[in-house]
Amino acid sequence: MSSAASRPTAGPFDRGHTDDLMAFLTASPSPYHAVASAAERLEKAGFRRVEETAAWDATSGGKYVIRGGAIIAWYVPEGAAAHTPYRIVGAHTDSPNLRVKPRPDMGAQGWRQVAVEVYGGTLLNTWLDRDLGLAGRLTLRDGSHHLVNVDRPLLRVPQLAIHLDRGVNDGLKLDRQRHMQPIWGIGEVHEGDLISFVATEAGVDAEDVTGWDLMVHAVDAPAYLGRDRELLAGPRMDNLLSVHAATAALASLAGRDDLPYIPVLAAFDHEENGSEADTGAQGPLLGNVLERSVYARGGSYEDRARAFAGTVCLSSDTGHAVHPNYAERHDPTHHPRVNGGPILKVNVNQRYATDGSGRAVFAAACEKAGVPWQSFVSSNDMPCGTTIGPITAARHGISTVDIGVAILSMHSARELCGADDPYLLANALVAFLEG
């Protein structure tokens, strides 16, 4: 066990939380599956789904809304006033990968292939020579959606042999269009084959399938790594690690009617390509849910303004742990380490939304939870990534703080974190949501 694991925390989660994260990652090969997995955990804690098209009432308790690959969940304590502020943990359900095109059946030289489009800023080489499955959702003529998960070796993106590319170890260059189309068999290509196959896997009639949102995923399971099993390797940690932690934290507060805030989980889709979607952080979903909750409890616009003014959001996303082979790529005074606790992400150019006040909120939560924490800043000569944090702050006028867990191999098909950091993050989130 690592040194972090040997330090007791004041929160409810321990290494068992990391075990459950592994199950969550396996069950969530697409944003749609991640939302279903989160909803299942919330349902067990007593939350109930409400529809956006239905009228909302003033009842207390746990509720959630699902739209595509996004989920917003919240817990209203008994007797909460209409102007009660929110405590929000924001995250995203999508990860960089390869996604199936509208006309997926293609091939060459006797090979059957699947036409895919690169989604987000993926590390292309990590998808080479890896056993891949296929998952997502099918849309039928009646407008219903059906999840599908072919979680077995089905596809493969074969790399060119070194004998045919002698300089490959001096620099691999991949053409996103020509080199990333996976194979899935041999023989003649017939239009409709892939969707017919996937429909059968989903237990629906292929003739009824009129739309699909399908993507590939690595089928190798998450695993502990290292002499002392102090590391965790797995897919989609960016950012299902945060979605899982926030779901567990919110579910743990069910039945708590002494909370001074309304705790919220906001897990969006499409963060990896800019959040510009009705299910993304730039869309109206979060604002609509928060406002409707105020108005359902008899509130006015004044109550809504008061609630938003007192609201704080933690934007929880993965960040960069110091890399032992590339330490020069990191700021020399900020070297986050795995199992060192969650990181506070700062960028004065507002690629992250953290300021001094937000730092104080996060530090107080970690102190309350007995959780160590670290700071992350990009090197001045390295472009800084961004998150849903600045978007949430600007769109809703909500005080926002960027945090997360430090990992290696971000945007790889298989990423690496410390095995203790997931539960350390979850405990910090509980303390934050409690206020």
Side-chain angles (χ1 to χ4, degrees):
M1 297 285 275
S2 73
S3 59
S6 66
R7 289 195 293 265
T9 73
F13 301 112
D14 55 19
R15 185 62 80 89
H17 173 88
T18 305
D19 294 336
D20 189 63
L21 168 62
M22 296 167 72
F24 185 84
L25 294 172
T26 299
S28 307
S30 78
Y32 314 106
H33 289 83
V35 163
S37 298
E40 180 182 7
R41 284 163 167 76
L42 292 170
E43 290 273 356
K44 289 180 180 178
F47 285 67
R48 61 183 178 88
R49 182 173 180 175
V50 295
E51 299 296 335
E52 290 187 84
T53 55
W56 292 5
D57 58 38
T59 56
S60 59
K63 306 172 186 180
Y64 67 91
V65 164
I66 290 176
R67 182 190 291 188
I71 182 170
I72 311 292
W74 64 104
Y75 182 83
V76 180
E78 185 71 36
H83 61 267
T84 301
Y86 299 95
R87 280 287 176 103
I88 305 168
V89 178
H92 65 88
T93 59
D94 61 318
S95 300
N97 57 16
L98 309 175
R99 302 204 172 189
V100 175
K101 290 183 176 180
R103 298 186 63 183
D105 298 292
M106 63 174 291
Q109 308 302 321
W111 295 96
R112 287 191 297 156
Q113 295 174 276
V114 176
V116 297
E117 185 174 3
V118 177
Y119 177 85
T122 186
L123 283 170
L124 295 178
N125 65 294
T126 66
W127 293 91
L128 302 178
D129 298 331
R130 187 183 292 274
D131 294 339
L132 304 172
L134 192 65
R137 68 175 183 178
L138 301 175
T139 304
L140 306 189
R141 293 184 189 279
D142 62 4
S144 63
H145 300 296
H146 288 259
L147 296 183
V148 61
N149 182 12
V150 186
D151 195 31
R152 62 179 185 274
L154 177 69
L155 308 165
R156 185 180 177 92
V157 183
Q159 188 171 190
L160 186 64
I162 192 171
H163 312 80
L164 305 178
D165 186 6
R166 292 292 184 178
V168 65
N169 288 327
D170 297 322
L172 173 65
K173 286 203 69 171
L174 294 170
D175 185 293
R176 296 159 75 92
Q177 176 62 34
R178 293 186 298 121
H179 298 153
M180 297 307 297
Q181 310 306 319
I183 61 173
W184 75 304
I186 56 176
E188 294 185 12
V189 176
H190 299 286
E191 188 170 350
D193 271 0
L194 181 73
I195 299 307
S196 178
F197 166 78
V198 174
T200 299
E201 290 287 320
V204 300
D205 191 332
E207 294 298 319
D208 290 333
V209 177
T210 56
W212 53 86
D213 301 280
L214 300 171
M215 57 207 73
V216 304
H217 66 277
V219 298
D220 34 343
Y224 287 113
L225 184 147
R227 185 194 66 179
D228 300 319
R229 293 163 54 90
E230 71 267 49
L231 301 171
L232 176 66
R236 299 177 295 281
M237 292 186 188
D238 179 13
N239 185 32
L240 295 189
L241 189 158
S242 294
V243 174
H244 176 257
T247 301
L250 180 61
S252 74
L253 299 178
R256 288 280 304 276
D257 290 327
D258 60 334
L259 300 174
Y261 301 98
I262 295 174
V264 180
L265 158 69
F268 301 101
D269 199 356
H270 297 300
E271 188 272 349
E272 297 293 357
N273 60 4
S275 296
E276 292 184 342
D278 69 318
T279 54
Q282 295 220 48
L285 183 58
L286 176 61
N288 287 349
V289 168
L290 301 183
E291 289 179 352
R292 290 185 67 178
S293 178
V294 169
Y295 299 146
R297 284 175 281 125
S300 63
Y301 181 82
E302 181 72 9
D303 291 313
R304 178 261 186 217
R306 293 175 65 188
F308 276 46
T311 292
V312 182
C313 173
L314 288 189
S315 166
S316 182
D317 204 344
T318 54
H320 302 294
V322 61
H323 196 300
N325 300 334
Y326 301 92
E328 73 280 1
R329 302 295 182 95
H330 301 263
D331 181 86
T333 60
H334 295 80
H335 281 179
R337 299 177 182 274
V338 297
N339 287 333
I343 57 175
L344 178 74
K345 301 159 78 171
V346 178
N347 179 264
V348 295
N349 294 301
Q350 288 299 292
R351 301 293 285 172
Y352 303 132
T354 306
D355 62 10
S357 297
R359 175 189 173 100
V361 170
F362 179 64
C366 289
E367 181 178 357
K368 178 181 178 182
V371 167
W373 61 279
Q374 313 172 77
S375 293
F376 171 81
V377 179
S378 288
S379 177
N380 281 319
D381 58 3
M382 191 71 57
C384 180
T386 191
T387 68
I388 65 166
I391 295 170
T392 302
R395 178 170 181 82
H396 305 293
I398 289 173
S399 176
T400 303
V401 189
D402 272 293
I403 67 159
V405 161
I407 69 171
L408 292 182
S409 306
M410 187 185 295
H411 288 196
S412 169
R414 193 169 176 85
E415 297 161 325
L416 183 73
C417 76
D420 301 325
D421 283 328
Y423 80 79
L424 293 175
L425 172 66
N427 286 337
L429 295 185
V430 171
F432 166 74
L433 291 173
E434 286 179 328

